[in-house]
Amino acid sequence: MVRRLALAVALLACAGPASAQEANAPFRAATSLMGGPKYPPDFKHFDYVNPDAPKGGALRLSESGTFDSFNSVIPRGAAAAGLGLIYDTLTTQSYDEVATAYGLIAEGLRYPSDFSSVTYRLRPEARWHDGTPITPDDVVWSFDVITKNSPGQAFYYRHVKSVEKTGERDVTFTFDQGGNRELPQIVGEMTILPKHWWTGTDSSGRPRDITQGTLEPPLGSGAYKIKSFVPGRTIVYERVKDYWGAQLPVNVGTNNFDEIRYEYYRDDTVELEAFKADQYDFRVEISAKNWATAYDFPARTDGKVVLEMFENRASGVMQAFVPNLRRAKFQDARVRRALNYALDFEGMNHTLFFDQYTRVSSYFAGTELAATGIPAGQELDILQGVKDKVPPALFTTPYTNPVAGTEEARRANLRKAAELMKEAGYQVKGRQLVDAKGEPFTLEILVDRPSFERVALFYKPALERLGIAVSVRVVDNAQYINRVRARDFDMIVAAWGQSLSPGNEQRDFWGSESAKRDGSRNYAGIADPAVDALIEKVIYASDREELVAAAHALDRVLLWNDFVIPAWTLNFTRTARWDRFSHPPQLPRYSFGFPTIWWWDAAKAAKVGNAKP
């Protein structure tokens, strides 16, 4: 289940249609996909917050690239960072539970035992920033415009058959099928937009258009609103002093900064230097080289800058070199496996990453959903259903990546890669790998940042030793996004984050239908009937045990088809910050909660010194 948002009952699967009595069941305050919610309906605040956290101060953050719109509905253009701060959703997630959501705009929800619909009841006090109530009409209109204008959202919510107002404060989502226990919760995560504002006129009397980009600050309902901006460079949000939801239990101790500012940088190197010069406050460091070598500067030595790593407990990841299977040269699994044999991860990890990483060996790496060993029990039963559509070896042999690290192992791996390419119909002529028609095998690795360029250039010589003509193309962020959306690439480096409760998003990651849709997250173009069948097993799992077994089966089949060349992972988030902030002594289990539950610490800030403008 995606990025990202609860209510006092577990979702239990049930055969047969829902009864009228179920449809009129009492509204509940929360919902969970993994047992019952932790917090009762009358809870005062989440355990992990400081309910007395001071309000005030400013937080400066950075972003890469640029922005040209405040309309996040349409896929065109680059929407500004932080727009989620200005909008509320029907529900919001807690950080110390998995896949559990609590009412935000909604005070409660109810659904039948077959999950064929869900009704949300809105809070009477919920308001837009102009004081207008948030209504079921806003919810219905939001769903309509989001699914009409965003292909990704239309795909994600494709099982929603209808959305309608069913009471003064009630809105009902009806699904085209039962049994999908995730659907009642994921519709609660949808951004709710103000119908009256978007269908009105701007200060010049021109009608607004939700289908177009805009730099007019939009009306919101959340804890922040846009204060000021410089197109493409800076956007500043200010805390709404009379925010309608400030005293809700889910919001107590959160949204503590008076101002949140995003500064945009087009170059990673400049962005890092700007942090060291105190131009922004908090940085997630994705470069192992930077983490090992770039933070030896006076402010760090003096204790003004803090480096801290936070363990990732709530998610897994697959990061990989991703070949575009829509192109004929990558459609043979032997070719893709050969590309895996050519990757010297151990050498790369030592030379480029300072031995900080481990190799990814699962699409759910770092979680209990990762397949291990050989299939058994319920997983084996599930795989028997697709036995004629999967590589036979997965039933008897654990999946492993090739291991290098020594010159002998590298040579052996390259010999194996050459054998696989030969089996796939390629041969070397004049030091060039060609197919049966004499066409050379070429490979362009598309990247959008210098850190990935270094990785691609390390990979390049081994591929060239196979006879592959390799080029590494570095483009700016906007061009990279456009080319990936249009599937105009041979290979990219990409990552898919995985929650502990996977569901409908798996279709967007690996499903056959998403392979044909520009803008989906099926970057590789995976279109495989066994994968499709196993995705449905994940989505329609009736309990946690079945979900884990189905995820293991899906993971195993994805791995054994060699759709991608697994890369590296680190089960921690590396952060650097100027020491002007504090957080509760006990952070939640599944997030370090920045910046939501952190606050400006005036005493610390006085020691560090004033932030530079």
Side-chain angles (χ1 to χ4, degrees):
M1 192 179 79
V2 172
R3 132 178 132 9
R4 300 168 169 111
L5 297 169
L7 303 188
V9 65
L11 301 178
L12 303 175
C14 175
S19 68
Q21 183 178 2
E22 286 180 317
N24 293 313
F27 283 89
R28 310 171 189 278
T31 185
S32 177
L33 298 180
M34 295 179 64
K38 172 181 176 179
Y39 296 96
D42 60 349
F43 79 104
K44 303 303 181 184
H45 57 77
F46 292 130
D47 290 346
Y48 51 79
V49 304
N50 173 7
D52 300 315
K55 306 291 186 183
L59 170 66
R60 302 166 303 159
L61 302 173
S62 72
E63 279 291 325
S64 299
T66 187
F67 71 91
D68 58 16
S69 178
F70 295 143
N71 183 0
S72 59
V73 171
I74 56 176
R76 301 183 304 279
L83 286 176
L85 294 168
I86 72 174
Y87 297 114
D88 278 333
T89 48
L90 294 172
T91 63
T92 185
Q93 296 266 342
S94 64
Y95 290 159
D96 56 351
E97 301 170 89
V98 175
T100 302
Y102 294 81
L104 184 50
I105 291 176
E107 66 180 12
L109 82 168
R110 64 185 180 198
Y111 45 82
S113 59
D114 66 353
F115 315 117
S116 58
S117 68
V118 62
T119 297
Y120 281 94
R121 175 159 289 174
L122 309 189
R123 297 182 189 274
E125 68 270 30
R127 292 286 188 275
W128 299 105
H129 292 156
D130 65 358
T132 304
I134 302 174
T135 69
D137 288 335
D138 291 316
V139 179
V140 173
W141 185 83
S142 297
F143 180 85
D144 184 53
V145 298
I146 288 172
T147 54
K148 282 184 178 178
N149 291 287
S150 173
Q153 294 297 301
F155 182 80
Y156 190 57
Y157 292 119
R158 64 179 178 169
H159 289 304
V160 179
K161 183 170 63 175
S162 66
V163 186
E164 58 184 332
K165 177 180 179 179
T166 51
E168 181 182 359
R169 293 187 285 118
D170 296 352
V171 59
T172 297
F173 296 79
T174 302
F175 309 125
D176 63 4
Q177 56 190 247
N180 188 336
R181 66 197 188 105
E182 189 182 31
L183 285 175
Q185 190 175 119
I186 65 173
V187 295
E189 300 172 352
M190 182 182 68
T191 298
I192 307 302
L193 304 167
K195 177 182 178 181
H196 72 284
W197 190 87
W198 279 102
T199 57
T201 56
D202 63 19
S203 59
S204 301
R206 292 187 296 265
R208 297 186 179 98
D209 187 351
I210 192 71
T211 69
Q212 301 299 318
T214 180
L215 284 175
E216 180 188 11
L219 180 70
S221 62
Y224 290 85
K225 63 181 178 181
I226 295 175
K227 176 183 179 181
S228 62
F229 65 97
V230 178
R233 293 180 54 190
T234 306
I235 180 168
V236 181
Y237 298 90
E238 63 179 342
R239 187 165 56 86
V240 177
K241 299 299 192 294
D242 59 350
Y243 170 44
W244 73 269
Q247 300 306 314
L248 292 177
V250 296
N251 285 331
V252 170
T254 72
N255 304 315
N256 299 316
F257 295 99
D258 277 351
E259 187 175 291
I260 299 178
R261 179 187 189 98
Y262 290 88
E263 293 287 353
Y264 277 78
Y265 299 89
R266 294 176 183 267
D267 180 89
D268 285 346
T269 302
V270 174
E271 188 173 354
L272 174 58
E273 292 306 312
F275 173 79
K276 292 161 71 173
D278 197 11
Q279 297 297 310
Y280 63 95
D281 296 304
F282 185 93
R283 175 178 175 84
V284 173
E285 184 54 74
I286 64 172
S287 167
K289 179 184 178 182
N290 286 345
W291 189 252
T293 66
Y295 290 92
D296 184 14
F297 64 107
R300 165 82 191 288
T301 304
D302 296 342
K304 295 180 179 180
V305 168
V306 176
L307 303 190
E308 189 169 4
M309 296 175 65
F310 296 97
E311 185 178 0
N312 302 324
R313 297 191 183 104
S315 61
V317 67
M318 164 55 79
Q319 180 162 263
F321 293 90
V322 183
N324 187 353
L325 274 62
R326 303 167 187 85
R327 300 191 169 177
K329 58 189 171 186
F330 298 120
Q331 290 175 4
D332 192 315
R334 292 169 294 190
V335 170
R336 304 192 297 270
R337 185 65 176 174
L339 297 177
N340 196 342
Y341 270 100
L343 178 64
D344 176 13
F345 167 76
E346 289 73 23
M348 179 184 291
N349 191 34
H350 182 71
T351 304
L352 300 184
F353 301 149
F354 298 82
D355 294 315
Q356 293 180 34
Y357 293 125
T358 57
R359 185 140 195 219
V360 174
S361 58
S362 168
Y363 283 74
F364 302 91
T367 76
E368 67 168 333
L369 304 173
T372 58
I374 59 175
Q378 196 168 3
E379 182 198 352
L380 179 59
D381 293 340
I382 291 171
L383 286 169
Q384 292 292 351
V386 292
K387 186 174 184 178
D388 60 334
K389 300 181 181 69
V390 301
L394 67 78
F395 288 97
T396 59
T397 308
Y399 174 86
T400 57
N401 288 305
V403 177
T406 65
E407 189 57 37
E408 293 78 9
R410 283 189 285 271
R411 287 198 297 267
N413 285 349
L414 285 175
R415 284 195 296 270
K416 180 62 177 178
E419 292 171 5
L420 288 166
M421 295 299 289
K422 184 176 181 179
E423 291 175 15
Y426 290 89
Q427 57 182 318
V428 177
K429 288 188 176 180
R431 295 188 176 181
Q432 191 172 51
L433 192 67
V434 298
D435 63 14
K437 298 179 181 179
E439 295 289 332
F441 194 110
T442 62
L443 175 60
E444 180 188 83
I445 305 176
L446 182 70
V447 298
D448 67 341
R449 61 188 67 180
S451 57
F452 282 169
E453 181 185 19
R454 293 170 55 244
V455 171
L457 289 174
F458 186 94
Y459 192 13
K460 179 181 177 182
L463 296 170
E464 290 176 331
R465 288 176 67 181
L466 294 176
I468 298 173
V470 182
S471 61
V472 178
R473 179 75 180 276
V474 185
V475 297
D476 63 39
N477 183 256
Q479 185 179 353
Y480 180 84
I481 290 172
N482 288 334
R483 285 191 59 176
V484 171
R485 283 177 177 169
R487 311 313 188 199
D488 180 20
F489 64 89
D490 281 342
M491 179 180 282
I492 60 174
V493 181
W496 294 267
Q498 293 280 10
S499 80
L500 297 182
S501 183
N504 290 267
E505 78 288 343
Q506 302 301 307
R507 292 174 176 149
D508 195 46
F509 291 173
W510 337 111
S512 295
E513 186 172 344
S514 65
K516 300 175 288 186
R517 178 168 48 81
D518 289 355
S520 78
R521 287 171 291 176
N522 190 344
Y523 308 121
I526 297 170
D528 182 273
V531 170
D532 291 339
L534 294 173
I535 289 172
E536 299 307 296
K537 289 289 187 181
V538 169
I539 292 172
Y540 292 101
S542 60
D543 54 34
R544 182 67 184 174
E545 182 181 3
E546 184 179 353
L547 175 64
V548 171
H552 287 169
L554 174 61
D555 187 31
R556 197 178 302 274
V557 170
L558 288 169
L559 289 168
W560 272 94
N561 276 288
D562 290 297
F563 291 127
V564 302
I565 296 88
W568 60 88
T569 187
L570 176 68
N571 199 35
F572 289 85
T573 300
R574 297 175 293 227
T575 70
R577 68 180 185 270
W578 286 84
D579 193 20
R580 300 184 174 103
F581 314 101
S582 287
H583 59 73
Q586 185 65 47
L587 290 174
R589 177 171 178 78
Y590 297 111
S591 172
F592 60 94
F594 185 87
T596 307
I597 64 174
W598 293 50
W599 61 87
W600 170 267
D601 189 314
K604 288 183 176 180
K607 293 179 181 179
V608 171
N610 293 329
K612 296 181 180 180

